[in-house]
Amino acid sequence: MDLTPNITDTALVFEGGGMRGAYSSAVVATLLGAGLHFPYVAGISAGGSHTANYLSRAPERARRSFVDFADDPRFGSWWTWLRGKGLFNAEYIYQQCWLPGGPLPFDFATFQANPAAFAIGAFDAAAGRTVYWGRDQVERPIDLMARIQASSTIPIVMPPVRLDGRLWYDGALGANGGIPLDAAQAAGFRRFFVVLSRERSYVKSPSHGRAALALKFRKYPGVVDGIMARPANYNRVRQELFDLEASGQACLFFPDRVALTNHTSDVALLQAAYDEALAQSQRELPRWRDFLGV
């Protein structure tokens, strides 16, 4: 398999969104099916999973990760949350299911052989900022999966991840607001293909409950600040994307309709969202090719 990127000047950026990833996973499948291979990929939270599936050239795994897998009795529920394992059973999802013979085996050899650079972001609870990891931090499959887990750890509903001697939460708590455009810009890119998980008209509402959050995260005030600032950061980054789109520097994918929440587990709803996204992606593919020059 030739893994050489055929796009040279554009970064691929994935927003997170929990189980709304069922919609954006269809974009992963469409990009791979169309032979559109980027030299750089950035993702946060569910976008980190998309990054791994895209770089390992695994369109069906991308679908199964956000559709069929939700039917696994070990996937997670409010019962696992009450037991301290999280609404999503992170230990199972990120430390077990990808192993050979598991429900979602991961092709790490292809991932490692792919020459494209990548960035997966997670929030350092003590430092109060998002940190991006790339190939230098990933030598083994567990290195990758642990970082995707950290990137996907939603505060309160999932227990934090301890990695490299530090505590980590969802990368969306940083200044990026959940869209790692800043990572691609820092890597030197000026053109972007961005996969969003909310409709074009969406505006995130202000956060509330600082006092309760301050009590919950009293040792980590940066987490409180990150949660409270996220709506403003998210809306600001989306406006930056609109400006880049207007100037011809960005091609943006927005779902036509999102009927999912970040914790939807109904497989029928997830599959319906995937099917809708696949149809939308196929309609938009000529526009993508025109922007990318491929």
Side-chain angles (χ1 to χ4, degrees):
M1 181 191 304
D2 183 6
L3 298 173
T4 305
N6 58 355
I7 298 163
T8 60
D9 63 347
T10 304
L12 173 60
V13 177
F14 287 110
E15 180 185 358
M19 297 309 290
R20 285 190 294 276
Y23 208 99
S24 42
S25 66
V27 180
V28 175
T30 300
L31 291 171
L32 291 174
L36 299 176
H37 304 303
F38 292 79
Y40 179 93
V41 189
I44 281 179
S45 194
S49 294
H50 292 329
T51 297
N53 289 325
Y54 175 82
L55 290 176
S56 63
R57 303 282 177 91
E60 179 57 16
R61 187 181 191 276
R63 186 195 68 81
R64 290 175 56 220
S65 296
F66 289 93
V67 179
D68 301 346
F69 192 41
D71 206 31
D72 189 315
R74 295 165 292 181
F75 178 72
S77 64
W78 288 111
W79 173 240
T80 57
W81 179 75
L82 288 171
R83 293 171 60 196
K85 293 180 177 292
L87 182 61
F88 301 105
N89 186 358
E91 180 180 344
Y92 175 63
I93 294 170
Y94 300 104
Q95 299 177 32
Q96 299 175 25
C97 77
W98 54 267
L99 294 167
L104 288 173
F106 183 70
D107 184 355
F108 186 69
T110 297
F111 176 88
Q112 280 293 71
N114 194 320
F118 72 88
I120 293 173
F123 189 80
D124 183 328
R129 64 186 181 91
T130 292
V131 172
Y132 289 104
W133 294 303
R135 291 201 179 275
D136 289 346
Q137 291 78 39
V138 175
E139 296 182 359
R140 306 165 300 163
I142 190 60
D143 297 330
L144 174 64
M145 296 304 171
R147 283 161 175 78
I148 296 174
Q149 178 182 350
S151 180
S152 306
T153 298
I154 305 168
I156 300 175
V157 301
M158 296 178 72
V161 171
R162 185 165 291 280
L163 182 65
D164 300 332
R166 303 186 74 81
L167 212 63
W168 303 92
Y169 281 104
D170 194 309
L173 300 188
N176 58 65
I179 306 169
L181 175 66
D182 57 344
Q185 291 171 325
F189 287 90
R190 296 295 176 265
R191 283 171 54 84
F192 312 94
F193 186 99
V194 187
V195 182
L196 287 308
S197 60
R198 298 279 198 177
E199 297 96 331
R200 179 178 285 270
S201 61
Y202 178 79
V203 176
K204 189 172 285 294
S205 302
S207 295
H208 302 284
R210 174 178 280 276
L213 290 169
L215 183 62
K216 171 71 175 176
F217 299 104
R218 55 189 174 278
K219 293 183 179 179
Y220 300 102
V223 174
V224 179
D225 292 341
I227 294 172
M228 298 303 297
R230 193 189 169 204
N233 286 331
Y234 181 78
N235 295 334
R236 172 182 50 77
V237 174
R238 278 178 55 111
Q239 185 56 56
E240 184 176 355
L241 289 174
F242 292 139
D243 294 341
L244 288 168
E245 181 184 47
S247 67
Q249 294 174 264
C251 181
L252 309 181
F253 174 87
F254 293 96
D256 285 341
R257 183 180 72 94
V258 179
L260 307 174
T261 69
N262 63 1
H263 57 271
T264 298
S265 59
D266 185 311
V267 172
L269 291 177
L270 295 168
Q271 182 64 54
Y274 179 89
D275 292 342
E276 289 179 25
L278 199 61
Q280 180 185 344
S281 297
Q282 291 297 326
R283 292 194 305 271
E284 294 193 13
L285 185 56
R287 176 174 69 90
W288 302 354
R289 288 190 181 279
D290 184 60
F291 175 78
L292 297 168
V294 176

